[in-house]
Amino acid sequence: MQAPGGSLLSILTGVDLNVNAGEAVALLGASGSGKSTLLGLLAGLDEPTSGEVVLLGQQLNALDEDARTRLRLGKVGFVFQSFQLLPGMTALENVDLPLKLSGIANHQQQAATLLEEVGLAERIDHLPRQLSGGEQQRVALARAFAGDPQILFADEPTGNLDPETGQQVIDLMFSLRDRCSTTLVLVTHDGKLAERCDCIYRLEQGRLMSAS
Amino acid sequence: MLLPSFVYRTWQSKALLILMLALMVAVTALTSVAFFVNRVDKALVLQGSALMAADLVVQQGDAPPEAWVDHAAGMGLKTSRQLVFPSVIFHKDEPLLVQVKAVDENYPLRGSFEVATMQGVTESAPPRGQAYASPSLLNALSAARYDVQIPIGTQQLRIAGEVKQEPDMSGSLFQFAPQLMMNYADVAATGLITPASRVQYRFLVAGPVDAVERMRRWLASRLPAGAKIMGVKNARPEMRQALERGRRFLELAALCASLLSGIAIMLAARQYVAQAMDGVAVMRTLGMSTSQVLNYHLAEISRVFLLGGLFGVGAGYLGQLVLYAMVGDWFGGQLPPPGWRPVGLGFSYAFILLGGFSLPVLLRIRNVPPLRVLRRDLEPMNVSAWLAWGVAATVFSLLVIWQVQDWQLATAMLLLVAAIILVVVVSGWLLIWFLQPHRGKVGGVGIGIAALTRNPALTLWQLHGFTMGITLLLLLALVRVDLLEIWQGSLPEQAPNHFLINIQPADQLSLYRWFDEQGIKNSGMYATARGRLVQLDGKAVNPDQYTDARARHLLQREFSLGFADHLQSDNRIVAGKDWQFSAEKKAGFSVEARLAKTLGIRPGSRLTFDVAGQLLSASVINLRSVAWDSFNVNFFVQGNAAMMADLPAAYITSIYLDDTNTSRVVRKLAQDYPSVSLLDIRSMLNRVRTIMDKGAMAVESVFLFTLIAAVLVTLSAVQISREERAAEIAILRTLGANRKLVATAMLTEFGLLGLYSGFLGATLAAATEQLIADRLFGLEAGLNIHLWLIGMGGGTLVLVLVGFLVMRSLLATSPMRVLHSR
């Protein structure tokens, strides 16, 4: 990356990471250590300047933006720290969107079931701004698991929540993950949360160290 | 240095920059128009002045006192004196009625004057002992051109030239005999002027506008009874109408530009507030009071005002220079430089637009809750929508009224804006309601439809911007052409350019045959007689009872009464019953509406005229408007044909002669019908036509600015939703939506918005065209189906293109931003 002064800035260096199917991996690290950047690269949201990323058996470097998008469709789920729900859409519409994009037949029914599963059956017609932070993140979880993705990327999913609500969301995320046998890549700086994963990596100044 | 730091700080804030640019474009558009209109206006007034040969003319029965000349000279004004009177000259023992016009050395003060002499063309008044003849006089004299000696009173004058071009034509249109122009100083020696003579003195004044206006006021308080002041604005009715119509077209164009600019400001301010909210929440958290926060932002806005105003006025001046370079030759390089007024106007516009259109939106800042630092989705409580719109509407109304200074036009414009807002709100909700069931559709179309329905307020804002833009552009681009064509069509290529007057009843039929033989088209013959209004509703009319100078003047002179069973095609009844005298066999008058208003005449009023000693009495059947600039034969007061049976009437007609056969026809007419007088109105006709053409071109150039303003409105409207859209696209892409789907969604959204705005815009423009044509210009406009085709097609095309450009820039943003944003 080009720094404002013109010099080159290395965000990630010598990262070699293998995540097996069904595995839950935690990426720990301080702010600015490159966690989110690594997550973006793994999910194909960004391109590395050098090196290669293989997602679900597909070499991402060989794919253009649209091909990467197609790869994500229905197979990759996301949960973000700031929820990233579409503000103009109701809870149901937000969950329904990826199902609709994947062309699933009874998408609306499935979306409603998922919301029921995360305990928001009564709130399906609410807009994001009418929901609390915890509720919004539960909608985001329902959306992330819509269509049974093979892999879920979660970026500080509890970062915007109080500990109690955060705990509830994490419990929910792991129970959904167990039910769907989804591979999980979790970015966090919460050591306790990381411990629930099969494998923990620590990022320090752009370098990846194995912690467990 | 304050200015560079202001520029730098504004440049640093994207939202302020957009607001500043919106204001700058608004002010540029307005001041370019103002500067240019100011110059065109001056040119149009000069054209009007040229037709009077002065800026101000006083007409009266006595010689203007020396004090007037001295006072004018003291104010730096030029003056000239004229004397007009009828006289009979004898040529080869034949008497010939002529109109003598005596002018001094200063003649003319305005306009061009050309005389062909033996020595070539001259532009100065006849020297002492010499006279110039009108072409019709030379024909009547059947003189071997110049150098004829003619007796006038006790003097002998030598005809030294033929008047080819003359700015002012004396007297009323229908009082003409062939004209003889002589030197003012020679008149006394002719012995023709006695205290009882029917003469008309004219005192001509010209100079700077302010001084002329001061002179007008000075003269008004000293005017003797029966005297009349004529300014450019109350010059001939034909001229006045052409000037007023030209000015109205310009004002309409300028108003459209200003309205669009206001909308751009409003949209940009909304964007500014949306972007400022997070910062406001932080300021509030840090302990700044509501008023401190508001003051901080008002200071920012003041900077925008200063920069927008300064750059806008500067660019406006440059803009009109470019415009002048482009179209200057249309005005023969004669366009006078602009005054300072547009500079003041520019800053006033900036203040009014920014204050009126952004302040209500800015007030939302007061209501941003500090909690927003924790919950970004907390929106400030809305200021009352009524207040926001109320302030903007009031400010805009004042701007319109102040700018056009014409209640009728201002009201029409404001009603139009109110109608657009109402139509957009109602039909916007209808659209959202109609689309609601379709938002679940699979694929990009469904997402595009959902985008329109999920944020109704945003959709309505955008719909307002686009519809307003399309309506005004259609009005200016198409309706302008329609109206100008109708207007110019009212003066066709072969409009009558000569009037034939004093046709005796016995000659009427043979003259019709004569026209056929010569292949000359005529506008039909109208009987006319001269009469003085002596009674109104049975009471004797006393000019002194009227305070209005024009009313007094009208009552002191004789009217040309017309008699026919039909009205001219350019007449329109504005009050009273239809003109069906033949059917009713009943006597009655039809009176020109403006004259009726001046004299307090209503339908049903009883008028009595004294026509050569006979009293002619009848009720007013109706009032009508007259298109004086059509150059058809028209009368202020018209009676039905039966009323003239016993009156000493003569006939009048107007004909068109092309340049190649004019002199032949004029000579032949003088030989065959010596009693018929021919009045050449070609120079007046050309001037009216020039004003129409120049007015049309000026409007077309003003249209360019409206176009720029419309583009800005579109950009601002799109800009409002840009942030939201960018985030949405990033999320969609993260969830697996491909480019094609995002593109389909956006093009569906923008396409539908364009199609619908186009439909609404075309409908509103068509309705407005009817209204404007009918109410403001007194013209009839047909329904133009192309409005809808162009409105909807153009609206869709432009917005799809805009959508495509927006999408291209947004798709270039990596979906990674969803990880980094917020």
Side-chain angles (χ1 to χ4, degrees):
Chain A
M1 178 189 244
Q2 193 94 15
S7 60
L8 279 178
L9 198 67
S10 283
I11 296 173
L12 296 169
T13 322
V15 174
D16 189 0
L17 174 66
N18 239 319
V19 181
N20 297 317
E23 209 175 10
V25 171
L27 295 173
L28 266 174
S31 291
S33 58
K35 304 186 297 288
S36 295
T37 307
L38 180 58
L39 189 82
L41 290 173
L42 293 176
L45 297 178
D46 209 353
E47 289 173 86
T49 36
S50 62
E52 51 184 50
V53 181
V54 179
L55 177 65
L56 303 172
Q58 289 266 7
Q59 175 73 257
L60 289 187
N61 304 51
L63 303 177
D64 64 10
E65 176 69 42
D66 258 342
R68 293 203 300 272
T69 306
R70 270 197 302 278
L71 179 65
R72 285 196 294 271
L73 183 61
K75 294 179 192 135
V76 180
F78 286 93
V79 182
F80 305 102
Q81 178 180 359
S82 49
F83 324 134
Q84 300 289 9
L85 298 178
L86 289 165
M89 288 190 177
T90 61
L92 182 68
E93 286 171 338
N94 264 289
V95 180
D96 185 37
L97 185 68
L99 294 169
K100 215 158 59 174
L101 288 176
S102 307
I104 289 169
N106 56 344
H107 51 89
Q108 210 154 22
Q109 182 60 44
Q110 279 198 34
T113 311
L114 273 163
L115 279 169
E116 209 173 314
E117 215 171 318
V118 298
L120 291 174
E122 307 296 314
R123 316 280 266 170
I124 56 172
D125 288 328
H126 284 63
L127 289 169
R129 67 166 180 272
Q130 297 166 321
L131 301 171
S132 70
E135 287 171 331
Q136 288 191 48
Q137 195 60 306
R138 278 192 277 159
V139 175
L141 272 178
R143 185 177 69 181
F145 282 97
D148 296 333
Q150 295 177 33
I151 184 164
L152 177 75
F153 291 98
D155 182 27
E156 305 268 20
T158 57
N160 277 358
L161 302 173
D162 63 77
E164 196 182 329
T165 313
Q167 191 57 48
Q168 286 169 7
V169 165
I170 289 302
D171 290 344
L172 191 60
M173 185 174 79
F174 275 95
S175 84
L176 284 167
R177 182 228 157 212
D178 293 343
R179 180 174 67 73
C180 308
S181 319
T182 312
T183 310
L184 175 68
V185 178
L186 173 70
V187 162
T188 183
H189 54 256
D190 180 352
K192 273 175 110 179
L193 173 58
E195 278 169 16
R196 292 183 68 163
C197 296
D198 308 322
C199 200
I200 301 175
Y201 291 92
R202 190 174 292 280
L203 261 170
E204 278 173 20
Q205 291 175 341
R207 290 180 185 280
L208 192 67
M209 327 255 177
S210 179
S212 66
Chain B
M1 286 293 286
L2 216 51
L3 193 63
S5 95
F6 275 13
V7 175
Y8 179 75
R9 284 200 56 185
T10 308
W11 187 260
Q12 289 297 301
S13 153
K14 195 177 165 202
L16 278 182
L17 183 67
I18 292 169
L19 191 61
M20 199 275 280
L21 283 179
L23 185 68
M24 185 186 147
V25 173
V27 175
T28 305
L30 280 167
T31 44
S32 300
V33 172
F35 275 124
F36 193 68
V37 165
N38 186 263
R39 298 181 73 172
V40 171
D41 224 22
K42 279 187 174 179
L44 288 181
V45 170
L46 284 180
Q47 292 265 337
S49 299
L51 217 70
M52 295 199 312
D55 296 334
L56 191 73
V57 174
V58 181
Q59 212 166 281
Q60 59 174 3
D62 300 312
E66 274 307 311
W68 291 9
V69 180
D70 295 343
H71 188 79
M75 291 168 79
L77 293 166
K78 287 188 290 180
T79 57
S80 170
R81 277 182 282 202
Q82 265 186 31
L83 180 53
V84 180
F85 58 95
S87 184
V88 175
I89 58 172
F90 284 85
H91 180 65
K92 295 178 182 165
D93 295 333
E94 287 282 328
L96 181 66
L97 180 72
V98 293
Q99 176 94 331
V100 179
K101 176 170 167 179
V103 298
D104 66 12
E105 295 72 24
N106 297 336
Y107 175 86
L109 300 179
R110 297 276 189 233
S112 66
F113 175 55
E114 267 179 32
V115 181
T117 66
M118 300 276 274
Q119 293 74 37
V121 174
T122 176
E123 293 176 0
S124 36
R128 293 201 63 168
Q130 292 185 15
Y132 298 149
S134 66
S136 51
L137 178 61
L138 281 180
N139 276 315
L141 294 172
S142 52
R145 295 298 138 199
Y146 321 129
D147 259 349
V148 188
Q149 288 283 337
I150 52 152
I152 175 128
T154 55
Q155 279 281 92
Q156 285 280 331
L157 294 177
R158 186 173 67 87
I159 294 189
E162 181 185 359
V163 177
K164 292 289 185 191
Q165 199 173 2
E166 183 187 358
D168 58 334
M169 280 185 286
S170 38
S172 109
L173 272 182
F174 311 120
Q175 286 178 325
F176 261 43
Q179 183 181 278
L180 179 85
M181 187 183 282
M182 61 186 285
N183 192 295
Y184 190 86
D186 285 339
V187 176
T190 62
L192 289 170
I193 308 301
T194 61
S197 303
R198 221 182 127 202
V199 298
Q200 192 179 66
Y201 283 93
R202 292 199 192 131
F203 178 59
L204 282 65
V205 180
V209 183
D210 296 351
V212 169
E213 180 53 27
R214 271 184 283 132
M215 185 70 191
R216 193 189 63 75
R217 283 200 297 270
W218 186 84
L219 281 170
S221 59
R222 287 164 179 78
L223 226 48
K228 178 169 88 158
I229 298 185
M230 295 194 303
V232 178
K233 285 181 183 163
N234 61 354
R236 303 184 166 288
E238 310 86 345
M239 277 299 306
R240 196 193 55 240
Q241 227 163 13
L243 275 176
E244 276 180 9
R245 285 186 181 178
R247 192 192 298 265
R248 282 186 172 194
F249 277 120
L250 282 177
E251 283 167 350
L252 200 64
L255 267 179
C256 289
S258 74
L259 176 58
L260 278 184
S261 308
I263 293 165
I265 300 272
M266 211 169 189
L267 297 179
R270 194 182 180 280
Q271 168 79 354
Y272 168 74
V273 171
Q275 290 190 5
M277 275 186 205
D278 286 344
V280 171
V282 174
M283 286 178 187
R284 299 277 286 122
T285 317
L286 294 176
M288 274 174 90
S289 69
T290 312
S291 58
Q292 281 172 320
V293 171
L294 199 60
N295 285 344
Y296 171 82
H297 283 281
L298 285 179
E300 301 267 296
I301 296 298
S302 308
R303 209 165 59 219
V304 167
F305 158 73
L306 202 69
L307 293 181
L310 204 63
F311 292 148
V313 169
Y317 184 78
L318 293 177
Q320 66 86 25
L321 282 181
V322 173
L323 207 59
Y324 180 59
M326 271 161 54
V327 301
D329 58 326
W330 295 339
F331 300 88
Q334 293 296 308
L335 217 53
W340 282 97
R341 193 167 174 262
V343 176
L345 273 182
F347 277 99
S348 311
Y349 285 143
F351 185 77
I352 290 171
L353 285 170
L354 199 60
F357 285 89
S358 73
L359 212 57
V361 186
L362 265 179
L363 287 180
R364 287 190 84 199
I365 279 178
R366 285 191 321 182
N367 301 333
V368 174
L371 193 62
R372 194 183 153 91
V373 290
L374 300 178
R375 293 212 39 197
R376 263 200 98 251
D377 52 336
L378 278 182
E379 290 279 321
M381 263 170 51
N382 258 327
V383 275
S384 157
W386 287 109
L387 175 76
W389 282 101
V391 172
T394 311
V395 161
F396 184 70
S397 308
L398 292 175
L399 180 73
V400 169
I401 292 164
W402 173 48
Q403 196 183 355
V404 302
Q405 297 180 359
D406 177 334
W407 283 100
Q408 206 183 7
L409 190 62
T411 312
M413 186 75 194
L414 293 173
L415 283 178
L416 168 70
V417 175
I420 292 181
I421 291 172
L422 193 72
V423 167
V424 170
V425 168
V426 173
S427 37
W429 278 112
L430 275 176
L431 175 76
I432 291 166
W433 173 78
F434 173 77
L435 290 177
Q436 205 60 256
H438 304 281
R439 56 187 279 173
K441 279 209 170 86
V442 179
V445 174
I447 295 176
I449 290 175
L452 284 175
T453 58
R454 75 173 68 113
N455 193 344
L458 185 68
T459 304
L460 287 182
W461 269 99
Q462 292 183 330
L463 207 57
H464 266 118
F466 299 144
T467 305
M468 199 80 87
I470 291 172
T471 307
L472 296 182
L473 281 184
L474 282 178
L475 268 179
L476 279 178
L478 298 171
V479 176
R480 167 190 58 117
V481 173
D482 280 0
L483 286 179
L484 287 177
E485 270 174 10
I486 301 167
W487 180 36
Q488 284 170 323
S490 69
L491 186 56
E493 211 39 46
Q494 297 203 347
N497 56 8
H498 289 79
F499 278 87
L500 263 63
I501 55 177
N502 204 26
I503 301 166
Q504 296 309 305
D507 288 338
Q508 196 190 357
L509 287 177
S510 72
L511 194 59
Y512 268 128
R513 278 197 299 276
W514 189 86
F515 285 147
D516 283 345
E517 284 163 23
Q518 305 293 325
I520 295 167
K521 273 195 252 170
N522 66 84
S523 64
M525 293 206 196
Y526 295 81
T528 176
R530 296 189 66 75
R532 188 187 297 273
L533 182 65
V534 288
Q535 285 180 18
L536 175 56
D537 287 328
K539 287 182 200 147
V541 170
N542 178 3
D544 295 335
Q545 285 171 341
Y546 288 83
T547 48
D548 186 63
R550 182 169 179 260
R552 279 204 304 272
H553 172 74
L554 282 166
L555 293 171
Q556 280 163 347
R557 54 166 240 186
E558 289 187 327
F559 284 93
S560 289
L561 303 171
F563 299 95
D565 282 337
H566 61 276
L567 291 178
Q568 272 290 11
S569 55
D570 59 50
N571 287 195
R572 213 160 51 92
I573 293 171
V574 294
K577 291 185 209 153
D578 258 356
W579 187 258
Q580 288 173 330
F581 289 139
S582 302
E584 293 180 14
K585 297 281 180 216
K586 196 177 150 194
F589 288 119
S590 173
V591 183
E592 194 251 356
R594 198 162 162 264
L595 173 92
K597 195 179 165 199
T598 311
L599 297 181
I601 297 171
R602 287 176 297 279
S605 298
R606 192 157 185 84
L607 309 182
T608 306
F609 287 92
D610 178 345
V611 181
Q614 293 185 46
L615 291 185
L616 181 69
S617 203
S619 294
V620 174
I621 302 294
N622 60 41
L623 307 182
R624 72 203 138 84
S625 67
V626 175
W628 292 107
D629 50 9
S630 69
F631 287 87
N632 285 318
V633 174
N634 265 307
F635 301 93
F636 281 110
V637 180
Q638 186 174 330
N640 56 319
M643 289 170 70
M644 56 150 285
D646 303 321
L647 296 175
Y651 285 83
I652 175 171
T653 188
S654 57
I655 57 172
Y656 170 78
L657 297 178
D658 67 43
D659 287 344
T660 55
N661 66 2
T662 303
S663 51
R664 184 186 58 81
V665 171
V666 169
R667 255 197 314 278
K668 181 113 178 72
L669 185 76
Q671 279 168 8
D672 297 353
Y673 295 93
S675 65
V676 172
S677 299
L678 186 82
L679 176 63
D680 183 351
I681 55 160
R682 277 176 300 180
S683 92
M684 182 190 290
L685 198 60
N686 282 337
R687 288 205 182 280
V688 170
R689 196 169 267 144
T690 310
I691 286 175
M692 285 181 171
D693 288 347
K694 286 175 184 173
M697 283 168 182
V699 172
E700 273 165 25
S701 43
V702 167
F703 164 71
L704 283 178
F705 293 104
T706 313
L707 198 67
I708 296 171
V711 169
L712 198 82
V713 167
T714 308
L715 290 179
S716 316
V718 169
Q719 193 63 32
I720 284 186
S721 55
R722 198 190 151 86
E723 283 297 307
E724 202 172 305
R725 226 178 264 286
E728 203 170 296
I729 288 181
I731 297 173
L732 282 172
R733 302 273 291 144
T734 310
L735 294 178
N738 60 19
R739 275 167 197 270
K740 198 176 144 208
L741 188 119
V742 172
T744 314
M746 287 201 65
L747 296 187
T748 303
E749 182 190 342
F750 278 94
L752 273 175
L753 212 52
L755 191 72
Y756 201 59
S757 307
F759 169 74
L760 292 179
T763 309
L764 285 162
T768 313
E769 178 183 18
Q770 299 290 327
L771 195 78
I772 293 175
D774 184 52
R775 296 290 161 86
L776 294 182
F777 299 105
L779 304 167
E780 267 181 44
L783 214 55
N784 188 348
I785 196 78
H786 291 108
L787 274 181
W788 279 271
L789 291 178
I790 294 173
M792 292 166 80
T796 312
L797 199 71
V798 169
L799 282 198
V800 162
L801 189 72
V802 169
F804 177 74
L805 292 174
V806 171
M807 182 189 70
R808 243 178 57 141
S809 69
L810 292 184
L811 275 180
T813 319
S814 156
M816 261 304 270
R817 61 168 292 153
V818 296
L819 291 175
H820 294 305
S821 68
R822 300 180 181 183

